[in-house]
Amino acid sequence: MMNLQRRFRSVAATWPIARTVSVRQHFRLLPGVLCLLFTGIVPLGAQPPEKQLTEQIVKNAIDKGQQFLLQQQRENGAWTGGDYTVGKTSLAVMTLINCGMTAEDEPVLRGLKFLRSVREPNMTYEVALQIMALAAAKDPAHDSSKILKLATKLADMQQKNGQNAGGWSYNFTGGRPSSDADRSNAQFAVLGLREAQYANVPVDRETWELIRQYWTSQQSADGGWHYNGVDNTSSTGSMTVAGITTQVIVESMLRDDPDENPDGSPNCCGQPVENESLDRGIKWLERSFAVGHNPGGGGGVLYYLYGLERAGRLSGRRFFGSHDWYREGAELLLRIQTPRDGSWHGNGVGEGDEVVATCFALLFLSKGLAPVLINKLQFNSEGGDPKNDQSWNRHRHDVRNLTDLITGLPGWPKLVTWQQLDMRVVAQRGGLEDLMLSPILYLSGDKAPVFSPAEIALLRQYVINGGFILGVATCTKTEFDRGFRDLVKQMYPDGESQFKRLTAEHPVFRSEYLIDPESTELWGVDVGCRTSIIYSPHDLACLWDKWNIVEPPRRSPQMKAMITKSTRVGINVIAYATGREPPSSIADHQLVNVAASNDELERGFLQVAKLRHTGGWDAAPNAVRNLLVALNSYAGVTANTKVKNITPVDETLKNYPLVYMHGRNAFTFNKQEQERLRTQINRGAMLFGDSCCASPQFDKSFRDLMLQMFPDHKLTRIPANHELFTTKIAHDLHDVRRREPNGGEPGKPFKPTTVVGEPFLEGIEIDGRYVVIYSKYDLSCALERQASAACAGYLSEDAVKIAVNVVMYSILR
């Protein structure tokens, strides 16, 4: 303790600015620093976990529940359940896969072996669940024929005539379906057939048409659905979320015509076709929303939550009314999880079985945690009626179809989602956090978008915090084109960021597929490390909207080729914007408010200078500030987040114990600049540098500079067992993730891989202390959450940890 106190006294005595805080005030940091050093448990002042929903807390709950399921598995790979062993085993296998396991993991492999060995069941639930489990395994060589048999059987079990035509009942005996039907069996049948279709097992169009007829004709007058029949007074939450989900699925399976003009071009200017049944169901749920009980009466809260997750995810709603369904549902599930073994126990039919109840809870938590790739923005347009303006949603299924296409692509998360946000609601909530739920904000329309000054400020803050804006003009582009370009001018009135047409050298044209830049007109706005706004003046969204997992009849080969090209452009933009690593739906964002007053922060203990130079010294303008915000949060260090930008010959350089530099281009320092920087380092300061997006030009210049400044000390790799990478300093860094854009040479698409291992940091060590620490792989762009598929460097979460460790090392050593 006394040695640590002496270090802080030494720091306080060394730096003139630091003396504005007394040594006694520095000692107030000691509990947090000691906590950091000896236990690795940061941050100071954090709320207890049960009061703060975080990604890690949810993952911990998932892990505990998963362990419970594994303990219940029998030697033969099954989860026994009396007459429902096949269904129960299918549900458990599907749950484990959604929680992160694969078909190569031994418990899943044993479960699949059991399911592949049994005869096809006769119960609707079991047939559907078995399809869902086998489809989740994604092993067509083993399972395609079995999925085909099950899907054929499930379709045969559907009621074909009468009042319940299009529905399902419990069983299939004597080769004939029962004459009854209910919404619970029917929704599982729909889910099973959907998974069969996505596993490339065709389902007859007639089956989907009957499903649409059943759910539309039996919707209650209040907009919800009841268990069976038509009951206008007792719609329930569990059956209404089933209806919402089914309507979305049917929309994706049925397109009635090729939607082409006589000349073969796509029809992009027709009026949007509304799904009144779906909209009425959503309005019922908004009015009746709850998570603590099944709205409308009855039990089955966990069954209802399992359906709520599907309804929210597939319909693209993060909010039903003012309710964030995932956060509220997750908070409930974490409260009622059994501490003893990680299981859940429900109150509805079947939920008394802890395996079934636990599967419902885990499916809600794991699927709802899936990354939200795109926020589709609802906004006002010029001359539009604020209550009924649908310009922003001319192509209802554009974003949904893109995310469906991306889910399952190699190198992407196995499940990605989308959602729509109303800009007016976001602005009323002061909702930068709402915008940050997704790394991409999508605007489209045929009219000029209109935003208030407060909304424009939010959009600018979104980009500053690492967000990416994608704009697409629809139908006749003139009005939207003008309005979108005006929006950029309003966001950047000083002209510091301007539109330019993207050329063949831009990585967006090969971030996933090779795209011809001559025939693909994209415009962009560079902000920080990357192009943070990309705009298409041509109606790509029309063709995204026309993609279907089931091709409509009579669609021409020409149209199919146009759809393929357009969706590939969309996927490329998303790959460029996210690096294929979108954050989870509740990732913790350390938000930067550049307009905030720094008066109090200027009294902070740690202050940092950023070096100006000719090699793109400000390529990531908020990287250091984001780092210091994270340092305040993670380590309890009082850091001044107002960064001083100075040259090496600035007289105030002597006041800064930590000097930071990054860049993207070549640079040089003259003799005087080198001498002043070397003098400051010899006084005890540390130089921390990194190459933005692993720029080879900056890397070479930095190495030349170090050779000139320290000819007797080489820049060498810091050993993996150095304390810098351990909890003695801050985070354990022995397993961090680094993106490498393999195949990034011209003429080939980027196929980045993620390398897991120790950080590759280099340093110059003098008298047992590293006075220079350098990363040739990107940290700065990752600190801004601006890294792209073409950027070789650390993933954002790990870049923060590495940078925090480096800064803490500079303080403590």
Side-chain angles (χ1 to χ4, degrees):
M1 173 70 77
M2 291 305 297
N3 288 336
L4 192 58
Q5 290 176 342
R6 291 191 189 103
R7 289 179 190 173
F8 275 91
R9 286 196 184 99
S10 175
V11 172
T14 303
W15 308 111
I17 290 181
R19 292 195 198 110
T20 62
V21 182
S22 69
V23 173
R24 177 176 295 179
Q25 286 175 303
H26 292 323
F27 288 161
R28 293 174 186 170
L29 300 173
L30 288 177
V33 176
L34 290 174
C35 182
L36 175 71
L37 290 173
F38 300 133
T39 69
I41 302 174
V42 244
L44 290 178
Q47 292 181 345
E50 65 271 20
K51 294 183 180 180
Q52 183 182 14
L53 186 70
T54 67
E55 180 180 1
Q56 190 57 54
I57 289 173
V58 174
K59 286 182 175 179
N60 291 343
I62 291 173
D63 289 343
K64 290 169 63 178
Q66 183 174 275
Q67 287 304 311
F68 170 79
L69 285 186
L70 295 175
Q71 292 165 7
Q72 309 307 309
Q73 189 176 24
R74 301 295 184 254
E75 287 294 326
N76 66 350
W79 282 260
T80 57
D83 294 335
Y84 291 93
T85 295
V86 172
K88 191 173 177 180
T89 300
S90 299
L91 184 62
V93 167
M94 180 175 65
T95 300
L96 292 177
I97 291 173
N98 277 283
C99 289
M101 287 189 169
T102 71
E104 297 179 358
D105 290 310
E106 190 268 341
V108 175
L109 191 60
R110 286 196 294 128
L112 290 170
K113 184 177 180 181
F114 172 82
L115 293 176
R116 289 164 179 158
S117 68
V118 297
R119 294 179 59 185
E120 289 83 22
N122 289 316
M123 304 292 287
T124 299
Y125 286 114
E126 292 198 295
V127 176
L129 284 166
Q130 192 173 4
I131 293 173
M132 293 161 72
L134 296 175
K138 298 186 182 301
D139 191 350
H142 280 99
D143 299 324
S144 285
S145 61
K146 194 167 188 72
I147 292 175
L148 175 60
K149 289 180 182 179
L150 291 165
T152 302
K153 185 171 189 173
L154 193 57
D156 289 343
M157 295 169 72
Q158 185 188 43
Q159 293 290 324
K160 306 300 182 184
N161 301 290
Q163 179 182 356
N164 290 320
W168 276 262
S169 185
Y170 278 91
N171 52 36
F172 188 69
T173 57
R176 299 179 63 183
S178 168
S179 60
D180 296 328
D182 65 76
R183 243 75 74 189
S184 184
N185 275 285
Q187 78 154 327
F188 272 85
V190 170
L191 294 173
L193 292 176
R194 177 186 188 269
E195 295 309 310
Q197 192 75 68
Y198 276 84
N200 295 316
V201 172
V203 177
D204 288 341
R205 185 178 180 86
E206 179 186 358
T207 300
W208 292 114
E209 288 174 340
L210 283 172
I211 291 169
R212 178 167 61 184
Q213 173 187 317
Y214 173 74
W215 287 86
T216 302
S217 66
Q218 298 209 12
Q219 188 172 17
S220 301
D222 62 5
W225 280 268
H226 184 58
Y227 176 70
N228 56 13
V230 180
D231 189 325
N232 292 328
T233 61
S234 56
S235 296
T236 66
S238 55
M239 293 299 94
T240 299
V241 295
I244 292 169
T245 299
T246 299
Q247 289 291 350
V248 174
I249 292 172
V250 170
E251 272 193 339
S252 70
M253 299 298 169
L254 293 177
R255 188 178 286 273
D256 297 327
D257 57 62
D259 210 16
E260 301 175 25
N261 296 316
D263 63 356
S265 63
N267 176 17
C268 295
C269 293
Q271 286 300 312
V273 178
E274 303 296 327
N275 186 329
E276 293 183 6
S277 178
L278 173 60
D279 293 341
R280 288 173 59 215
I282 289 172
K283 288 178 181 176
W284 185 95
L285 189 57
E286 289 176 343
R287 294 192 306 268
S288 309
F289 184 88
V291 295
H293 64 277
N294 184 355
V301 173
L302 298 178
Y303 175 66
Y304 157 65
L305 288 178
Y306 172 43
L308 176 64
E309 179 277 324
R310 282 194 305 277
R313 177 169 51 85
L314 294 183
S315 69
R317 263 74 176 178
R318 178 57 180 257
F319 299 95
F320 286 111
S322 61
H323 297 279
D324 184 330
W325 60 262
Y326 184 73
R327 280 191 174 271
E328 293 184 31
E331 287 167 354
L332 171 69
L333 290 175
L334 266 58
R335 286 199 304 270
I336 65 175
Q337 186 176 22
T338 306
R340 172 178 50 83
D341 59 10
S343 68
W344 280 268
H345 186 91
N347 62 352
V349 176
E351 292 182 10
D353 185 316
E354 291 181 335
V355 169
V356 173
T358 299
C359 286
F360 287 159
L362 289 177
L363 286 168
F364 178 96
L365 292 174
S366 60
K367 287 193 168 188
L369 199 62
V372 179
L373 269 186
I374 308 175
N375 277 333
K376 184 173 183 177
L377 195 66
Q378 178 179 353
F379 54 87
N380 292 330
S381 61
E382 197 172 82
D385 179 356
K387 293 184 177 180
N388 301 305
D389 188 359
Q390 291 293 307
S391 171
W392 65 276
N393 202 28
R394 172 169 287 280
H395 305 308
R396 283 179 63 125
H397 312 309
D398 47 7
V399 173
R400 182 193 73 189
N401 290 345
L402 268 185
T403 53
D404 274 358
L405 269 168
I406 288 173
T407 290
L409 283 179
W412 290 82
K414 65 181 179 181
L415 177 64
V416 292
T417 64
W418 70 284
Q419 61 193 20
Q420 65 183 50
L421 286 179
D422 187 332
M423 190 62 183
R424 292 162 294 188
V425 175
V426 169
Q428 289 169 4
R429 291 163 54 96
L432 181 56
E433 292 85 355
D434 293 343
L435 295 180
M436 296 304 301
L437 290 172
S438 168
I440 299 175
L441 190 65
Y442 171 70
L443 287 73
S444 71
D446 56 356
K447 298 178 181 177
V450 176
F451 294 97
S452 70
E455 291 169 343
I456 291 171
L458 269 179
L459 294 176
R460 183 180 172 99
Q461 284 292 309
Y462 173 70
V463 173
I464 287 172
N465 280 276
F468 177 94
I469 296 177
L470 170 60
V472 176
T474 63
C475 190
T476 54
K477 68 178 185 179
T478 306
E479 293 182 27
F480 184 87
D481 184 85
R482 170 181 56 80
F484 193 82
R485 293 175 186 273
D486 285 346
L487 171 63
V488 172
K489 292 178 182 177
Q490 293 175 71
M491 290 174 64
Y492 303 101
D494 296 332
E496 67 268 37
S497 298
Q498 297 181 351
F499 261 120
K500 60 182 179 181
R501 180 163 180 177
L502 304 185
T503 59
E505 295 76 25
H506 198 284
V508 74
F509 294 110
R510 50 197 178 95
S511 56
E512 180 81 23
Y513 303 100
L514 285 179
I515 303 295
D516 178 17
E518 295 299 320
S519 62
T520 306
E521 184 180 354
L522 294 176
W523 291 70
V525 180
D526 289 344
V527 182
C529 288
R530 64 173 179 175
T531 305
S532 293
I533 301 175
I534 287 183
Y535 167 64
S536 169
H538 301 291
D539 196 351
L540 300 174
C542 170
L543 293 160
W544 301 344
D545 184 74
K546 295 183 189 305
W547 177 85
N548 270 74
I549 187 68
V550 181
E551 287 285 0
R554 304 184 308 281
R555 176 162 281 174
S556 68
Q558 175 189 354
M559 176 66 76
K560 293 178 183 179
M562 294 172 68
I563 291 172
T564 297
K565 177 183 177 181
S566 179
T567 53
R568 287 187 172 186
V569 172
I571 292 170
N572 270 35
V573 172
I574 295 169
Y576 171 78
T578 65
R580 298 187 185 86
E581 293 286 346
S584 83
S585 62
I586 58 169
D588 181 30
H589 295 284
Q590 294 290 337
L591 302 176
V592 177
N593 181 3
V594 296
S597 169
N598 288 287
D599 292 343
E600 294 185 5
L601 295 174
E602 288 181 2
R603 295 193 295 271
F605 164 61
L606 175 66
Q607 303 202 28
V608 178
K610 184 163 71 172
L611 284 186
R612 301 170 67 105
H613 55 81
T614 58
W617 68 275
D618 205 27
N622 294 297
V624 182
R625 180 177 175 124
N626 287 355
L627 163 60
L628 296 174
V629 168
L631 193 71
N632 285 332
S633 173
Y634 289 133
V637 172
T638 309
N640 176 2
T641 56
K642 186 175 183 180
V643 181
K644 180 73 171 180
N645 303 320
I646 59 177
T647 66
V649 295
D650 193 303
E651 287 295 329
T652 63
L653 179 65
K654 63 185 179 182
N655 296 328
Y656 294 94
L658 181 62
V659 182
Y660 181 85
M661 68 180 296
H662 68 248
R664 298 194 67 170
N665 305 308
F667 70 93
T668 58
F669 283 169
N670 60 37
K671 294 293 185 181
Q672 182 186 13
E673 291 171 324
Q674 292 180 31
E675 182 58 33
R676 294 289 290 275
L677 182 57
R678 180 169 48 241
T679 298
Q680 180 66 358
I681 291 173
N682 288 338
R683 291 183 65 235
M686 192 185 82
L687 175 64
F688 177 22
D690 80 290
S691 175
C692 291
C693 287
S695 162
Q697 296 85 3
F698 180 88
D699 182 68
K700 182 179 185 304
S701 294
F702 188 88
R703 294 180 187 279
D704 289 345
L705 176 64
M706 293 302 101
L707 185 62
Q708 293 163 10
M709 289 177 56
F710 301 101
D712 299 327
H713 297 84
K714 292 185 178 180
L715 188 68
T716 58
R717 182 171 183 179
I718 300 174
N721 61 354
H722 193 274
E723 66 174 356
L724 172 63
F725 303 128
T726 70
T727 54
K728 291 181 179 179
I729 298 300
H731 300 285
D732 182 350
L733 299 179
H734 286 97
D735 283 312
V736 296
R737 298 159 296 169
R738 189 180 77 243
R739 183 188 304 106
E740 292 186 351
N742 297 334
E745 58 266 28
K748 293 184 179 180
F750 290 108
K751 295 296 180 184
T753 58
T754 299
V755 178
V756 180
E758 301 92 354
F760 190 99
L761 295 182
E762 297 170 276
I764 291 178
E765 188 176 19
I766 298 177
D767 297 331
R769 181 177 72 92
Y770 281 102
V771 299
V772 176
I773 294 180
Y774 172 67
S775 174
K776 69 176 183 178
Y777 297 110
D778 176 77
L779 292 170
S780 298
C781 295
L783 287 168
E784 286 201 330
R785 293 183 290 276
Q786 296 273 10
S788 70
C791 189
Y794 298 96
L795 273 61
S796 293
E797 180 182 346
D798 294 333
V800 171
K801 293 178 180 178
I802 293 168
V804 165
N805 276 37
V806 171
V807 175
M808 289 302 298
Y809 174 84
S810 75
I811 295 172
L812 298 175
R813 296 293 175 262

